[in-house]
Amino acid sequence: MTALLPLTVALPLGAAFVLPLLPRRPRRAGDLLAGLISGALLVLAGLLSGRAGVYEIGGWRAPLGINLALDGFSAPVLLLAATVGLAAVLFSSAHLDTYTGRNRYWALLMLMTAGINGTILSGDIFNRFVFVEIAVISSYILVGFSGRGRALAAAIRYGLLGAAAANFTLLGVAVLYALHGTVNIAHLAGSVPAAGTALPGPEILFAALLMLIGFGYKSAAAPLHIWQPDALAAAPAPVAAFLAGALIPAAGVYALARTLFTVFGPAEAFGWMLLFPGLLSMIFGALAAERRKDPRVFLSYQGICQVGYILTGLGAAMVLAARGEERAAGLAAAGAVFHLLNYGAAAALLFLAGGTAEPPGRPSRWSALAGLAGAGSIAGIPPLGGFFSKLMIVAALWFGGFPLLAAAAAGTAVLAPVSFYRRREEFLPRPAGHAGRTPPAMAAALILLTALVLGLSLAPLPGLRGRLLGPARRAVLDREAYAAYLEPGEGQRP
Amino acid sequence: MKNRSLIVQRVSRWLAPFIFIYGLQVILYGHLSPGGGFPGGVILASAFILILLSRGKEEAGRRLPLSRAGRFDNTGALVFLAVGLLGLVLGGSFLVNFLQRLFPGRPFSLLSSGTIPINNLAIGLKIWGGIFLAVLFLSVLRVGGDPDRGLKTMEEE
């Protein structure tokens, strides 16, 4: 089954280069191609979920060749990105009529998809950097795609700062290569010593800080969040959904977690490096959201708050793993990965539901209901997934010996439903009564994401826990298993 | 086009073809000597960038029109991808050198190394078009200028 791995990158990449060559008429040819590719990617991600393995490109073993790696952490993120991607494509096909340059839009969206999938699967840090850049450079242009002043300003700011942040990641890659002579993640996991409770060497600390800044910018963690509210508010609705639901979780948070946990290994210092921006984003995002009028900016700041939860969970997992407290670390890691999935699905759903009200849309009652499911999950209302993931993070903080952090996280979590309830009229699309009608493609996108949000809510059930959260926890924390990837004869192990 | 030195225009006109041929050589011998598709493509593009700098974007756009450079860019990427997928189908893994077994050739001769020269050509084509387009766009986008008008006049020509 791992033979399918390169297709997740090759299919959208191929589509991105075929699309500009398509004739302008029939106008729907580009829509059809993008839809088929995204559908195929969702099927691929479904087939690959729950599996693990390494794919060596061209049959060359590392370090000569490069590889793609699938495990319990990358498989669910790949599924999230594929679902959000298909929803964004479906929604775009009904939303795009207000824009010109349809096939260019599709080409950029496909390029971004290829970059995101490559980021998730890449088995070495240099190729991950390249894939992240493919994804974000396409996203710069897509944010400004409407060509209006506000969108262009947001895109230029996002792009300029993003180019600066990319240099941090690249320098971090260079430092690691200079120190260890390899960029392969499994080889680095085998050769970078885990510092544990001791302070890592200055050169490793420097490299980790560079990576934190580079990927922290892409995950929109405070204080590196300044591009995110503008970009999400000005981008076309499906692009905002794709950004919040796939790019930020994959190219930001996932890449950061993978780098710190697998490449650098557990160390208390790295844990605090994650806890600081995590706590800051969590509290700042929740407070800043209160004061914003624009509903999309409100949702963006709430997104920063959720990224804060994920980073807090990851930071706690790292500190606890470094101290050897396996159980609490496992709970924190599982909670963080679960919240990453919940946040991605719910944020994408909220942006798309809000997008149904944009001209010339006349939203029906059902799109408001779909938006409500997303808001419920982000706000952490009990039967939905967001509640359980926040609960897991708070519980891990409490049992891991961080009572103050647990109180802060719990307090923010209690405030979120209040905040969402007060703003319900603004961010939910107002139904147009009997005249309301959502185009079928938009409705399909909303149904797909609502199903994902509701499906994720089932993941903590005892029978299903071992399918998603157990492997994810092991993949985040078990560095030796990842390093053993490349041992001869054990290529398929983790 | 005004205020351009005659010497610069003349010399660049003589140099450009040699730069172009050197770029082709770097691409074609990429599997045998240092070089390959990427540096060769950049050298090919630099021949046109020299024309752009010395004789203006109108002249460069006439030598390599916008639409053709875009097609080079797309075709190169697609050929590379096709070779990769053929490797998946025929050799069992993405980018496997499936031609090597069929036509081994004499080692260190021009016609050897299977799919590598094809990939070099594809990358060269893509980089040639891509780098030229990037520089062309930079020359069109000026502070205070109207980017749309600049591009439209080029497409009309």
Side-chain angles (χ1 to χ4, degrees):
Chain A
M1 204 55 82
T2 46
L4 298 174
L5 278 179
L7 290 182
T8 57
V9 181
L11 284 181
L13 202 60
F17 291 112
V18 169
L19 277 160
L21 299 175
L22 285 181
R24 275 202 194 141
R25 307 212 165 257
R27 254 175 85 236
R28 294 278 167 183
D31 300 30
L32 192 67
L33 182 61
L36 281 177
I37 297 284
S38 306
L41 287 178
L42 184 57
V43 172
L44 274 177
L47 287 174
L48 290 168
S49 71
R51 290 171 195 276
V54 178
Y55 187 86
E56 282 153 353
I57 292 179
W60 294 90
R61 293 195 73 87
L64 290 177
I66 53 176
N67 55 20
L68 300 174
L70 185 78
D71 66 359
F73 189 11
S74 46
V77 181
L78 188 71
L79 191 60
L80 169 75
T83 317
V84 172
L86 179 58
V89 166
L90 285 170
F91 195 92
S92 302
S93 68
H95 183 77
L96 263 185
D97 295 328
T98 46
Y99 297 109
T100 55
R102 218 176 162 88
N103 282 348
R104 282 183 204 164
Y105 175 91
W106 290 126
L108 286 166
L109 204 66
M110 286 296 112
L111 209 54
M112 200 168 145
T113 310
I116 288 173
N117 287 348
T119 303
I120 297 169
L121 294 174
S122 176
D124 74 72
I125 52 175
F126 181 72
N127 277 289
R128 164 158 305 148
F129 163 77
V130 173
F131 279 125
V132 167
E133 287 310 303
I134 290 176
V136 295
I137 289 174
S138 323
S139 77
Y140 301 151
I141 309 168
L142 282 174
V143 163
F145 201 80
S146 67
R148 297 191 193 102
R150 187 181 172 211
L152 284 181
I156 288 171
R157 187 203 280 200
Y158 175 31
L160 286 179
L161 289 173
N167 287 328
F168 283 88
T169 317
L170 186 60
L171 189 57
V173 172
V175 170
L176 279 176
Y177 183 65
L179 288 173
H180 293 280
T182 177
V183 286
N184 187 284
I185 294 177
H187 285 165
L188 282 169
S191 61
V192 179
T197 46
L199 195 67
E203 66 284 349
I204 289 292
L205 212 53
F206 179 56
L209 197 63
L210 290 171
M211 295 289 193
L212 181 74
I213 294 173
F215 291 128
Y217 175 84
K218 264 89 186 180
S219 23
L224 298 171
H225 65 280
I226 45 172
W227 61 273
Q228 190 250 30
D230 288 347
L232 291 188
V239 173
F242 201 35
L243 237 68
L247 186 76
I248 291 176
V253 184
Y254 168 82
L256 179 61
R258 195 75 294 171
T259 309
L260 283 185
F261 276 89
T262 311
V263 173
F264 290 97
E268 255 195 79
F270 301 149
W272 291 107
M273 269 163 55
L274 282 170
L275 277 173
F276 167 70
L279 200 66
L280 191 66
S281 315
M282 188 167 77
I283 294 171
F284 168 78
L287 292 180
E290 284 301 302
R291 308 185 60 83
R292 308 295 152 158
K293 285 223 174 64
D294 185 328
R296 281 228 213 149
V297 177
F298 166 75
L299 293 179
S300 309
Y301 276 103
Q302 283 292 347
I304 294 173
C305 174
Q306 307 317 312
V307 168
Y309 271 99
I310 303 164
L311 295 186
T312 308
L314 289 171
M318 187 155 246
V319 173
L320 294 168
R323 289 180 184 163
E325 296 176 38
E326 297 291 333
R327 272 183 69 89
L331 185 62
V337 175
F338 190 30
H339 200 58
L340 178 72
L341 302 174
N342 284 327
Y343 156 66
L349 179 55
L350 272 172
F351 279 111
L352 288 189
T356 56
E358 280 171 21
R362 282 172 304 162
S364 66
R365 220 170 309 134
W366 295 104
S367 36
L369 204 62
L372 204 59
S377 185
I378 282 203
I381 291 169
L384 294 169
F387 169 76
F388 292 107
S389 48
K390 284 184 185 176
L391 186 69
M392 284 161 84
I393 293 171
V394 171
L397 286 170
W398 180 261
F399 291 119
F402 303 100
L404 279 179
L405 289 181
T412 317
V414 170
L415 278 177
V418 182
S419 172
F420 271 93
Y421 181 74
R422 276 179 36 210
R423 309 289 293 265
R424 66 192 183 282
E425 299 277 314
E426 295 161 34
F427 67 82
L428 289 178
R430 185 170 302 159
H434 290 294
R437 200 184 144 274
T438 312
M442 285 189 179
L446 291 178
I447 291 171
L448 189 66
L449 283 176
T450 312
L452 182 65
V453 167
L454 297 180
L456 278 171
S457 310
L458 300 177
L461 289 178
L464 297 172
R465 213 178 286 164
R467 313 231 8 202
L468 173 69
L469 299 180
R473 185 197 69 216
R474 279 194 293 280
V476 172
L477 291 176
D478 196 350
R479 194 166 170 242
E480 282 74 28
Y482 198 100
Y485 255 149
L486 296 173
E487 294 300 315
E490 296 202 17
Q492 305 294 316
R493 220 189 86 184
Chain B
M1 283 299 274
K2 39 195 181 302
N3 295 337
R4 280 185 214 282
S5 148
L6 186 67
I7 296 173
V8 170
Q9 288 196 37
R10 250 313 135 82
V11 172
S12 68
R13 180 183 282 185
W14 288 337
L15 270 179
F18 288 104
I19 297 176
F20 190 80
I21 289 175
Y22 179 58
L24 285 181
Q25 197 262 351
V26 169
I27 294 176
L28 287 177
Y29 285 84
H31 55 300
L32 304 173
S33 58
F38 199 105
V42 173
I43 297 170
L44 290 187
S46 69
F48 287 85
I49 293 167
L50 183 68
I51 295 172
L52 189 148
L53 292 177
S54 62
R55 307 179 59 197
K57 55 178 182 285
E58 294 78 12
E59 177 66 25
R62 211 166 304 147
R63 298 278 167 104
L64 182 56
L66 207 61
S67 53
R68 196 184 299 161
R71 265 202 300 279
F72 283 173
D73 191 55
N74 279 315
T75 316
L78 282 175
V79 170
F80 185 87
L81 203 66
V83 171
L85 287 177
L86 274 177
L88 183 66
V89 174
L90 299 175
S93 179
F94 191 77
L95 265 184
V96 155
N97 197 337
F98 59 90
L99 270 180
Q100 178 69 30
R101 263 166 279 154
L102 302 174
F103 308 103
R106 198 159 48 81
F108 305 107
S109 68
L110 189 56
L111 293 177
S112 64
S113 315
T115 56
I116 297 175
I118 303 175
N119 280 336
N120 271 332
L121 280 170
I123 296 170
L125 199 63
K126 175 170 175 56
I127 299 300
W128 175 17
I131 297 275
F132 178 71
L133 278 180
V135 176
L136 192 66
F137 271 71
L138 286 179
S139 77
V140 170
L141 301 172
R142 294 244 171 81
V143 177
D146 179 2
D148 283 339
R149 212 183 58 201
L151 284 181
K152 261 179 209 133
T153 52
M154 279 182 152
E155 272 172 349
E156 279 157 16
E157 279 170 15

